Amino acid sequence: REVKDLNGHWYRLRVRPYKTLDARINGAVLVLVDIDTIKRAREFAENIVATVREPLLVLDQELRIRSVSASFCRTFQLPASALQNRLLYEIADGDWNIPGLRDTLTEVLSKGFEELELKHTFAAIGPQVLLVNARRLVQEAASEPLILMGMEFITERRKLDESMRKVEELSEADRNKNEFLAMLAHELRNPLAPLQNALHVLRSSGADEAAREHAREMMERQIRIMTRLVDDLLDSARVTQGKIGLFRESVELNGLLNRVAQSIQPQIDRKQQTLNLSLLPEPVYISADATRLEQSFGNLLHNASKFSPAQARISLTAELAYARATGNTANEVIVRVRDNGIGLPTDMLQAI
C-alpha cells in the first residue's frame, strides 16, 4: 500500500514474511519504495482530469472507471459516486455499451487510437456525435496499466457539414439546371432552320411530289427531336441533375447520317460550302438512341458550317474501327466531322 511519512513524502510499503532456512516464518521484511515523484505526478494528472473542460475518464485494463472529470459528470448528468470503480459499459443502465467502442478500448494498451467517431443516442442528452481519443498512461512497470480516454462533441460540426453538403448539392443542381437549360435552348434552335426550309418547299408551287414528301419527312424528324427536347425541359429531375434520357433501338447508321446531312444542307448551300459524305460500304446497325444521335451529329455539322468561312469544305465520314492488336474489325464505328473553320480555343478543350 501507499504510505506517507511525517514530512509528506510518499512511499509504497511492501511487507513480506521472513523465513528461516527450515522455511519457518520468523519475522517480517518491510520494504519502502520511494514513489513520491510518481505520486505527485499522478495527483497532478488527476487534478487535470478533474478540472479540464473536455469530458475525460481514466480506465483500468478491465475498462473500470478509476477517475472521472467533473466535465464528464456534468455533460452526461451522472454523479461521480455512480461512476467510480464501475465498468464503463455498465454505467447509466448500459448507455455506454456502444458497439465498437469496447473492442477498440481493449486495444489501447497495445497501440492506442485517435479520433474514433461515434454516433450514439444517450438517454440524458439525446443523439450526439463524439470524437473519442484514448492513450495508455505511462507509469511504473509494476503499476496497473491505465487508459486515459477523452472525447470531443462534434455534433454541431457534423450538422454544419451536412448543411454545407446540402448547400453544395443545391448549388450543383442549380449549375446543372443552368447548363442544361442553356444546352436545350441551343438544341431547340437547331431544328428551326430545317423546318423553315421544309415549309418553304411545301409552299413552293414548283416543288414536285417527291420533294414535298421529302420535306414532310424532314419536318416529322425535326418535330420528333423538338418533342424530345421539350420532354427533357419538362422533366425537373433531368433539369436539376443535368441528365438526358436515352431510348435505345436498332438504328441503321448510313441512313441516319444521310438524314442529318440533308437537314443541314440548306445552311451549307447558303454559305456556298461543300459537304462531302463518305459512309460505310454496306448497312451497319447499331444500338443507339436515334433522336439523340441526330441531335449530336446535327450539332457537329451545324457548328462546322457556322464557324467555317464561305466556300469551306466540310466532311462527314463513317468507318469501321480496327483492333490494333489483331488487325481485325472491331465492334465499333468511328464517325468524324472535319472542317477548316476557326476551331476551339485551347483552354476550352477540357470543357468538352
Side-chain angles (χ1 to χ4, degrees):
R1 65 175 184 171
E2 296 175 354
V3 296
K4 183 169 59 173
D5 65 16
L6 296 177
N7 296 319
H9 204 93
W10 284 94
Y11 299 89
R12 176 173 287 115
L13 174 62
R14 295 175 179 173
V15 181
R16 296 289 185 270
Y18 172 76
K19 295 182 179 180
T20 61
L21 294 177
D22 55 358
R24 288 186 300 107
I25 296 176
N26 194 25
V29 177
L30 278 67
V31 179
L32 292 171
V33 179
D34 188 343
I35 60 168
D36 190 71
T37 301
I38 295 175
K39 178 69 173 178
R40 295 186 188 284
R42 186 189 304 162
E43 289 177 348
F44 179 73
E46 288 176 351
N47 289 333
I48 292 176
V49 170
T51 57
V52 75
R53 293 177 58 184
E54 287 73 21
L56 292 177
L57 291 174
V58 176
L59 309 171
D60 64 16
Q61 59 186 346
E62 296 178 352
L63 305 186
R64 194 177 300 276
I65 298 174
R66 291 303 182 90
S67 182
V68 57
S69 70
S71 174
F72 184 93
C73 296
R74 287 195 305 270
T75 300
F76 295 98
Q77 302 175 23
L78 296 169
S81 58
L83 303 175
Q84 204 69 29
N85 294 320
R86 294 281 307 280
L87 292 169
L88 175 65
Y89 47 84
E90 290 182 353
I91 66 172
D93 297 323
D95 218 7
W96 279 87
N97 190 14
I98 302 174
L101 177 61
R102 183 172 174 180
D103 293 336
T104 305
L105 283 173
T106 57
E107 299 176 358
V108 170
L109 297 176
S110 59
K111 59 183 180 181
F113 69 87
E114 290 185 0
E115 295 191 352
L116 171 67
E117 185 169 319
L118 295 177
K119 295 181 181 179
H120 187 66
T121 300
F122 296 92
I125 58 176
Q128 300 292 334
V129 184
L130 303 178
L131 275 183
V132 179
N133 296 270
R135 285 287 184 275
R136 175 173 178 163
L137 290 176
V138 178
Q139 301 183 97
E140 289 181 291
S143 300
E144 177 188 25
L146 296 175
I147 300 168
L148 176 64
M149 180 176 121
M151 60 203 73
E152 176 187 1
F153 283 87
I154 60 168
T155 308
E156 296 304 318
R157 188 195 308 176
R158 288 293 177 260
K159 287 181 180 179
L160 179 60
D161 291 344
E162 180 65 16
S163 298
M164 294 300 295
R165 184 186 64 80
K166 290 180 179 179
V167 168
E168 181 58 31
E169 288 179 354
L170 290 174
S171 299
E172 178 68 19
D174 188 59
R175 286 193 295 270
N176 289 337
K177 178 195 68 176
N178 292 336
E179 293 173 1
F180 195 71
L181 292 177
M183 181 270 291
L184 284 180
H186 180 269
E187 297 285 350
L188 281 168
R189 285 196 299 267
N190 287 345
L192 295 180
L195 285 173
Q196 187 176 20
N197 293 327
L199 185 60
H200 177 74
V201 171
L202 293 177
R203 286 176 173 173
S204 174
S205 57
D208 58 20
E209 186 57 33
R212 292 174 180 274
E213 180 61 26
H214 176 71
R216 284 192 289 268
E217 290 176 355
M218 182 181 294
M219 292 182 74
E220 289 178 357
R221 290 197 303 272
Q222 299 305 320
I223 290 173
R224 184 173 65 250
I225 290 175
M226 293 186 73
T227 300
R228 289 285 296 278
L229 291 171
V230 172
D231 288 342
D232 290 339
L233 184 60
L234 295 177
D235 190 332
S236 60
R238 293 183 196 171
V239 171
T240 55
Q241 295 174 13
K243 297 179 180 179
I244 60 174
L246 294 178
F247 302 97
R248 289 179 177 269
E249 58 182 329
S250 180
V251 179
E252 201 283 299
L253 187 59
N254 278 348
L256 183 142
L257 293 176
N258 269 312
R259 292 194 297 272
V260 172
Q262 290 169 7
S263 69
I264 202 69
Q265 191 64 50
Q267 178 180 334
I268 299 287
D269 294 341
R270 281 195 301 272
K271 297 188 69 173
Q272 298 181 335
Q273 296 168 334
T274 302
L275 174 60
N276 295 320
L277 269 67
S278 177
L279 304 182
L280 299 164
E282 57 186 25
V284 170
Y285 290 85
I286 60 175
S287 175
D289 186 319
T291 301
R292 301 300 185 192
L293 279 185
E294 287 190 31
Q295 285 178 247
S296 300
F297 294 139
N299 280 337
L300 289 174
L301 288 175
H302 172 80
N303 290 335
S305 173
K306 179 179 179 180
F307 297 104
S308 294
Q311 300 180 342
R313 301 180 67 84
I314 300 170
S315 66
L316 173 62
T317 63
E319 59 184 356
L320 294 175
Y322 290 89
R324 292 183 178 180
T326 63
N328 298 325
T329 303
N331 194 27
E332 295 178 351
V333 177
I334 300 174
V335 178
R336 292 187 177 93
V337 174
R338 287 192 173 96
D339 63 74
N340 54 358
I342 60 176
L344 285 171
T346 304
D347 58 352
M348 290 294 295
L349 294 176
Q350 297 297 326
I352 299 178

